[in-house]
Amino acid sequence: MKENKNIVKPRKGRRVMNMPFGMFIIFLIFVGIGLYIQRTAAMLAFTQREYWEVVKSRFQKDSITLPATRGNILSCDGRVMVASLPEYRIAADFVIIDKDSAQRVKWQAYRDSMWTTKLDSIAAGLAHIFPDMKKEWFRQRIQEGRRKGSHSWRLYPRAATYLQMKAVQELPLFREGTRRSGLICESNAQRKKIFGSLAARTLGDVYADSNAAKAGLELVYDSILRGYDGFYHTEKVRSQWLRFVDQEPQNGHDLLTTIDIRMQDIAEKALKDKLFEIEGAKIGVAIVMEVATGDVKAITSLSRTASGNPRGYDFVENQNHALNALWEPGSTFKTGSMMVAMEDGYITPETRVDCEHGVKLMYGRRMTDHNKNKGGYGELTVTEILGQSSNIGVSKVIDQYYHNQPEKYVQGLYNLGVGIPLGMPMGADPRVRMPKKDTHGKQYLNWSNTALAWMSIGYESLLPPISTLTFYNAIANNGRMVRPRFVKAELEDGRVVREFPVHVIKERICSQKTLNNIRMILEKVVSEGLGKKAGNRKFKVSGKTGTAQVAENGSYAGRNYMVSFCGYFPSDAPKYSCIVCIYAHTAIPSGGGQCGPVFRRISQLVMNDGEGRTPDEASDSTSVFHPSVSSGDMNETRRLMRHMGLSWNEADKAPADWGFVEEDTLPGRPLRMHTRKLNTDLIPDVRGMGAKDAVAALQRCRQRVRLRGRGRVYEQSVPAGAKAVAGKTVTISLR
């Protein structure tokens, strides 16, 4: 069969690499795309790796903590004592990060040239703002950071205030903004005690790095103060990173404490002045308590510490001896001993006891009175025994009636509330041991023939000062023993959400007859006995002196003593109780002579209400009431000064365009501030201030302050110029 030549055969298409041409073109396109992706990935992995790592570390996080603002700790009248206030970390980024290599080289060259030409001016300016460091130190610090090529090199080792931060931003190079200069000013809320060292150990601390509670009220009430953190995440939307809050933080609540700033300052100053007078003084304690409620109005514990002042030492709060020190109380314990014997009906205030000639052997051990070199006291009544603090008189009474039944004596102390745990949320428990017999009930296992005699005069037992004061406070409170109270209420935005009521430990510590007798005796201790120096001409004072030798290496042969005075005032209608303790290395210890004058000064100033130092004057060098302005933008500084009631000294006024000069020298006369009397009848305008300054200005007008947020004040709940009503709460919002 012949092939039909008229049938058209399909043409064979062009082929490349055994593929149709069209398919080959598509293959090339995909190869090109793959090579482009590989090239881009290589650039990201190598040439732009540093840039993207920085971006990632700064922005790309899935869940970021939004910290809650820790609640404030307030004084009894609502003044802010502890608050979370913003501080600033001042650092510099010496290396430009930019994915555009040309731009990076350009801006890096500019920044390097500025650091080279302006280094002296910047170092001089930083030294002027932070005078604790010298210009050369800042110069070397900057040069070291540049050599290391750091992205976040700290220029100043400590935190800066808001005004200091603003001043740094006005320095050469830094005034050009973060993009050009690399200046980093990171805000961080730090826990600050507004009144400096006042009641510092009782208020407590938080860890600086984590803001976690460390000690004191901060730790005990951490669950109330800390609040709950929130969370947020960042997402890139249209080439911008935006923050989206997933859970709002719940700020902590405030604590309304029992501390009275005025009384706290009175107690601390009176104690410190006396400690400086006593050669060899090591530790001092003073506590003031409200009789009816047990509210601790003032509490201070001062320890001798090396210092750079002319004396070479100072007394500061570094341990809470008032609550935690377990000391043998000495003669203040004798009051409880004689009350036990009175309550059991063995003695009365008129019972006479032969105190002999100042020295008595008790079971082979010498018991002495402080006047042994003068022949002793001879015969004294029980009232006189406590008035003269006779060791022999007290020990003879207790040994006579309780030697064969010491457990009855110790149980009698417990019944009075002496030596029992107080159930406080902080502080050490007293240790007054109960005699224990063996299984046959014959021999005492933890007792000796001399134990009772020495326990009766304040040895053989360990009590913190707060326990002794609680006992004397019960005597003043008509026999009703209340637990020491440090916190009255939990507040949210100034509103009470929980109260901490007065807690009664014992409704009656003893019979009314015993109570009347001991109150009469304690008044005579001051009016006629060794406690005269604690007395006051304007009102009657009651109390008891105490002197205890402190054992060293198991021996009482040294000259370390803990002297004290504990009592209450006014005697007729007790309002406050107080204890003063001084631990010293001295040859002439005297509870009445050394602690009595401190007690007298405290009681006199506390009762002389309104005539002591004001809280403004009470604040020490770490207070917010007198902030120092080193430098900065002049208009901003003047505005802040006007807010705070400060005036510019015209004689020292610098030119209107004053600022940091570009050379090595600075203006010869630095900024000086002079205080004038603030109009406390009107609410000041605190907008634009930092938290410290705002709190100070409002508290000068007797306002309670509630802080919200962190940063600078942008809103205040009571407008500027409104009449200032004492005790009113002003809420200030910061951002």
Side-chain angles (χ1 to χ4, degrees), residues 435-456:
K436 293 181 180 179
K437 291 184 177 180
D438 59 21
T439 54
H440 301 289
K442 294 182 179 180
Q443 294 182 334
Y444 287 105
L445 299 176
N446 62 340
W447 210 251
S448 65
N449 283 334
T450 60
L452 184 65
W454 263 263
M455 177 183 280
S456 70

Side-chain angles (χ1 to χ4, degrees), residues 335-336 339 416-418 467-475 481 509:
T335 300
M339 286 178 68
L416 293 174
V418 177
S467 289
T468 300
L469 178 60
T470 301
F471 169 60
Y472 277 80
N473 192 81
I475 295 173
M481 179 175 281
I509 63 171

Side-chain angles (χ1 to χ4, degrees), residues 48-56 58-59 93-101 103-105 107-108 111 149-151 179:
Q48 297 181 13
R49 178 179 180 180
E50 183 182 9
Y51 171 78
W52 287 109
E53 283 184 347
V54 172
V55 170
K56 179 180 178 181
R58 290 183 179 179
F59 300 109
D93 184 350
F94 294 103
V95 181
I96 294 287
I97 296 297
D98 197 306
K99 62 182 178 180
D100 188 324
S101 58
Q103 284 288 97
R104 183 170 66 251
V105 171
W107 286 112
Q108 187 66 58
R111 187 178 293 182
S150 175
H151 284 292
R179 172 67 176 170

Side-chain angles (χ1 to χ4, degrees), residues 405-419:
Q405 50 178 355
E407 56 269 61
K408 182 178 181 180
Y409 164 76
V410 176
Q411 187 59 53
L413 291 175
Y414 291 168
N415 294 340
L416 293 174
V418 177

Side-chain angles (χ1 to χ4, degrees), residues 252-254 491-497 706-708 729 731:
H253 290 179
D254 297 340
L491 307 179
E492 181 181 16
D493 294 330
R495 177 177 56 88
V496 176
V497 296
R706 170 70 182 175
L707 299 174
R708 283 183 175 175
T729 299
T731 301

Side-chain angles (χ1 to χ4, degrees), residues 73 81-82 193 196-206 214-220 259 264 268 284-285 299-303 316-324 426-427 486:
I73 300 179
M81 299 178 70
V82 183
K193 295 179 176 67
S197 64
L198 295 184
R201 291 302 94 204
T202 299
L203 295 175
D205 294 292
V206 299
K214 182 179 181 181
L217 296 179
E218 292 275 20
L219 178 61
V220 173
I259 301 296
Q264 180 69 38
E268 184 168 315
V285 168
I299 178 168
T300 184
S301 302
L302 301 176
S303 301
V316 300
E317 284 218 354
N318 54 26
Q319 294 185 53
N320 201 338
H321 301 287
L323 301 182
N324 297 318
M426 54 185 177
F486 294 90

